[in-house]
Amino acid sequence: MGRTVLIVGGGGREHALCLALSQSSSIEEIHTAPGNAGTRHFGSNHDVAASDIDGLLELSHRLQIDFVVVGPEAPLCDGLADKLLSKGIPCFGPQQLHAELEGSKLFAKKAMNAAGVPTAEYDIIDDSTNINACLDARSHDPWVIKRDVLAGGKGVVVTSNREEAIEFIERSIQSDGHVLLERFLPGEEASMLVVMDKSGYVCLPPSQDHKRAYDGDKGPNTGGMGAYCPAPVVTETIHQKTVERIVEPMFSYLSSMDIPYRGVLYVGLMIDENGDPYVVEFNVRFGDPECQVTLPLVDGDVGELLYGAATDQISKMEVSFKSQHALTVVLASEGYPQSAIKDRLIHGADQRLDTSETWVSHAGTALDEQGNLISSGGRVLSVTSVSETLQKARELSYQRLGLIQLEGSHHRLDIGHRAL
Ligand code: AMP
Ligand code: GLY
C-alpha cells in the first residue's frame, strides 16, 4: 500500500511536486492545500491556506496523511513542522528553529559563521546616525542591503545609489529595528538543493534561476522567470568545493543539534572568478522555479526520497539522476512583478497537450464560475521540458509556450542563455 501525502502550497513548485509524487510508486494518494487549477488533476485540492497552521493540522489528521511536504517557507517559519511532529505526522520541511535560516538573514549569517561556511562579511546597522559611516566603510562596490525578516523576495537591495541605500536602510531600521549591510560578491549565481535529514544528505543537480524580469537579466527582481538544470557553471571541481566547504559543514552543524534538519536546504551560491563558491542565501524549501527543473531529473521514486528525509532514512538511500537536461520558462501576468493583472482567460494550457517531454506547471491559475482557466497570480504558469540536450529542452518549452495565450502576459526569451 502506497502512502497518502499532503502537499502544502499552490504554486508552480507545488505542481512540480504533485507531478513527481504522482509518478512515484510509493505514493497512493495526493492531497494539496490549497493547490491550484493544475494540481487538482493529481488528487484533491483542499480549501485550506498554506498560512492556516491549525487548518492544515486538522486536514492532515482527518485525511490520515502519512506525511506532509511543505512547499513555501512561511508555514515552516510559523512552526508547521513542529506541530505536525507533535501529532506524530512526519514532515518534509524543517522545524521552526531551522526555518530561521531563511526567516532571518542574521540567524543564517551566525549559523554560517559557526559552521565555517564562506559568505559575504556584513555589518548590522541599527542606528540611523551611523548610516553614512557604514556606507563609506563599504564604498568600493554596490551596496548590498538586506532586511532581516521574511520579505517575499523584496527584502534585498543592491545599489550604487547612496540616496536609495540610505532610504532603504532608514525604512528597514524603522520597521525591523536593524538591517544588514553586506559585502558585494561578484560572480555567477547557481542554486544547489540539498535534501537533508539527521542521517545524511543528497545533493540534487545544481540549477540556475533567472531572477530579473526581462531579457539580458534586466529589469526588476522577480520570484524567478525561468530555470534550467543542470547548470554547467557548477563544474565538477566547483561542485566538490561546494560540498566540502558548504554542504558538509552545514550538515555537521545542523545534524549535531537536538532538532535535526529534515527537508531541503536551498543553497544560493555565488561563484567567483576563481571558481570559489560563497553562500548568498539559504532557503528552507525547494526553489520556484528550480523545483520544476530539478525533480524531473531524479531517477527514481521522489516520494520515497521525500518520505526518507522526513523520517531520517536518507543515509540508507541510493539516489541517482538522469543524464538529461530540463528547462522551464515562466509566463507572467501583465504588470508583474510590480502589480499583476489577474482574472484573465488562459487558452492553450490544457493538460491533455502535455507529454512526457513537455508539460505545463500551473502556478497562479484558477477556474472561474464557468470552469474556464483564468490567471490568479503574478507568475501564472511555466512550461517545462526534459530532453537529451539543453538546446532541445529549450526549443520544446518555447514551442509549447507559443500555444498558450493570456492577454498582456510576458515571458523571457533567453532562458538558459548563460549555458547555451
Ligand atoms: P537574497 O534574498 O539574499 O538571495 O538576495 C537576493 C539577490 O540579491 C541574490 O539572488 C543576488 O542576486 C543578490 N545578492 C544578495 N547578496 C549579495 C551579495 N552579497 N553580493 C552580490 N549580490 C548579492
Ligand atoms: N527562485 C528563487 C527562490 O525560490 O527563492
Side-chain angles (χ1 to χ4, degrees):
M1 254 291 268
R3 299 186 181 103
T4 298
V5 62
L6 172 67
I7 298 172
V8 174
R13 167 183 50 213
E14 287 74 24
H15 186 129
L17 284 162
C18 281
L19 178 64
L21 294 178
S22 74
Q23 294 166 345
S24 302
S25 51
S26 67
I27 301 294
E28 174 111 356
E29 215 177 288
I30 298 177
H31 296 270
T32 330
N36 59 39
T39 61
R40 76 201 156 97
H41 293 290
F42 300 100
S44 313
N45 283 349
H46 299 270
D47 192 14
V48 178
S51 55
D52 180 0
I53 306 292
D54 289 335
L56 292 168
L57 279 180
E58 193 277 323
L59 186 67
S60 306
H61 183 70
R62 180 157 52 81
L63 298 172
Q64 299 190 316
I65 294 293
D66 291 311
F67 75 114
V68 175
V69 176
V70 184
E73 65 281 8
L76 297 168
C77 291
D78 288 342
L80 176 58
D82 305 69
K83 292 211 169 137
L84 287 166
L85 290 175
S86 74
K87 300 270 184 240
I89 302 171
C91 179
F92 182 88
Q95 290 175 251
Q96 200 166 28
L97 168 74
H98 298 310
E100 279 295 278
L101 287 172
E102 179 165 357
S104 162
K105 301 280 186 198
L106 186 54
F107 182 91
K109 285 288 186 194
K110 287 180 177 167
M112 282 186 261
N113 289 342
V117 165
T119 185
E121 302 80 14
Y122 67 99
D123 310 303
I124 303 168
I125 312 180
D126 56 8
D127 176 356
S128 291
T129 60
N130 254 345
I131 298 175
N132 270 304
C134 292
L135 290 176
D136 288 341
R138 291 200 186 279
S139 65
H140 316 292
D141 304 300
W143 292 293
V144 179
I145 307 154
K146 297 190 176 182
R147 287 186 61 194
D148 195 21
V149 293
L150 268 190
K154 298 203 169 67
V156 178
V157 164
V158 180
T159 181
S160 304
N161 180 316
R162 185 175 280 258
E163 270 170 32
E164 190 189 350
I166 293 175
E167 204 257 325
F168 187 69
I169 293 172
E170 279 180 337
R171 226 171 346 113
S172 304
I173 294 177
Q174 254 172 30
S175 61
D176 315 329
H178 62 274
V179 67
L180 274 68
L181 177 66
E182 216 176 89
R183 178 169 72 86
F184 178 79
L185 298 169
E188 186 171 340
E189 287 182 78
S191 309
M192 183 104 128
L193 305 175
V194 186
V195 177
M196 193 180 279
D197 68 13
K198 190 180 177 65
S199 74
Y201 63 85
V202 176
C203 296
L204 304 184
S207 54
Q208 194 170 55
D209 187 12
H210 299 60
K211 287 191 176 160
R212 301 296 200 94
Y214 311 128
D215 287 353
D217 296 322
K218 304 264 179 358
N221 252 316
T222 69
M225 295 298 288
Y228 62 96
C229 182
V233 60
V234 184
T235 60
E236 223 162 279
T237 310
I238 295 174
H239 195 281
Q240 204 176 337
K241 286 185 196 173
T242 305
V243 170
E244 279 168 14
R245 298 177 190 175
I246 296 168
V247 180
E248 268 292 335
M250 279 310 287
F251 170 68
S252 300
Y253 176 75
L254 293 169
S255 61
S256 71
M257 295 185 175
D258 291 341
I259 294 179
Y261 190 102
R262 298 189 186 99
V264 59
L265 182 67
Y266 169 128
V267 183
L269 292 172
M270 188 70 81
I271 298 153
D272 75 7
E273 57 181 8
N274 302 317
D276 288 320
Y278 292 81
V279 176
V280 172
E281 64 166 339
F282 285 133
N283 293 322
V284 297
R285 51 169 175 82
F286 284 108
D288 187 344
E290 289 96 325
C291 187
Q292 287 87 313
V293 289
T294 308
L295 291 186
L297 298 186
V298 176
D299 195 8
D301 189 314
V302 172
E304 200 63 46
L305 174 64
L306 304 191
Y307 183 76
T311 53
D312 290 331
Q313 301 182 68
I314 288 211
S315 62
K316 290 190 250 161
M317 306 186 86
E318 294 258 338
V319 185
S320 56
F321 304 100
K322 299 172 190 163
S323 57
Q324 286 181 304
H325 299 261
L327 182 143
T328 198
V329 185
V330 170
L331 184 77
S333 291
E334 180 175 351
Y336 177 78
Q338 291 86 352
S339 62
I341 301 178
K342 300 173 194 167
D343 300 323
R344 284 184 171 163
L345 285 172
I346 304 165
H347 297 285
D350 193 322
Q351 220 120 359
R352 280 170 296 192
L353 297 176
D354 289 354
T355 67
S356 57
E357 269 188 319
T358 303
W359 58 90
V360 174
S361 305
H362 289 240
T365 64
L367 298 180
D368 68 10
E369 278 169 11
Q370 290 78 43
N372 300 309
L373 188 67
I374 55 168
S375 58
S376 64
R379 290 189 292 174
V380 177
L381 52 82
S382 66
V383 178
T384 307
S385 301
V386 172
S387 194
E388 296 310 313
T389 65
L390 185 61
Q391 182 67 42
K392 182 79 182 145
R394 171 155 129 155
E395 276 167 29
L396 290 169
S397 286
Y398 279 111
Q399 265 169 24
R400 179 77 175 84
L401 195 61
L403 303 178
I404 298 175
Q405 289 128 33
L406 167 64
E407 188 193 333
S409 63
H410 64 99
H411 64 272
R412 280 182 62 161
L413 297 170
D414 65 346
I415 301 304
H417 71 97
R418 284 179 192 275
L420 287 169

